[in-house]
């Protein structure tokens, strides 16, 4: 199982695999078991926005176990949350904010219980 951090600019926290593009992120969701997914919204001028990934997750049923929205875009966070939260399966948690420090520590220690 992997944890994916989608961002075109920031580096991934320890314990996460970095997806620099929306296509990289979707490939990982399609090909790997993803425990935690953390999404940015603004992915640069040559890429789709995080809302595109949120739509594909819903349409293709690519839900990981947990989703966090670390974007600094208030409208982008709202768009992704409003797409993901109502469509999520019961087993998926959707958080309207970044991964908390305690969760990051859990992932690094391998005790994430996912």
């Amino acid at each position: 199982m992997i944890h994916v951090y989608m961002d075109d600019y920031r580096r991934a926290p320890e314990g996460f695999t970095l997806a620099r593009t929306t296509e990289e992120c979707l490939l990982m969701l399609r090909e790997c078991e993803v425990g935690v997914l953390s999404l940015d919204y603004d992915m640069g001028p040559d890429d789709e926005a995080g809302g595109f990934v949120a739509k594909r997750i819903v349409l293709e049923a690519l839900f990981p176990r947990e989703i966090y929205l670390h974007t600094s875009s208030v409208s982008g966070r709202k768009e992704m949350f409003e797409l993901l939260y109502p469509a999520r399966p019961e087993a998926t948690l959707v958080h309207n904010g970044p991964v908390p420090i305690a969760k990051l520590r859990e992932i690094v220690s391998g005790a994430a219980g996912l």
Side-chain angles (χ1 to χ4, degrees), residues 14-80:
E14 189 177 347
F16 282 79
T17 301
L18 180 62
R20 282 283 184 215
T21 68
T22 57
E23 280 307 313
E24 283 180 0
C25 182
L26 289 169
L27 179 65
M28 288 182 219
L29 286 166
R30 290 176 183 129
E31 300 293 325
C32 305
E33 182 182 355
V34 177
V36 175
L37 172 65
S38 187
L39 295 173
D40 189 17
Y41 185 79
D42 296 312
M43 290 297 291
D46 298 326
D47 199 354
E48 301 284 347
F52 175 77
V53 172
K55 287 176 196 164
R56 297 310 319 163
I57 289 170
V58 171
L59 291 171
E60 297 180 41
L62 299 172
F63 285 92
R65 295 185 183 180
E66 285 190 69
I67 301 171
Y68 290 89
L69 306 173
H70 70 262
T71 183
S72 56
S73 169
V74 174
S75 61
R77 180 180 297 123
K78 181 179 187 294
E79 177 187 333
M80 292 188 295

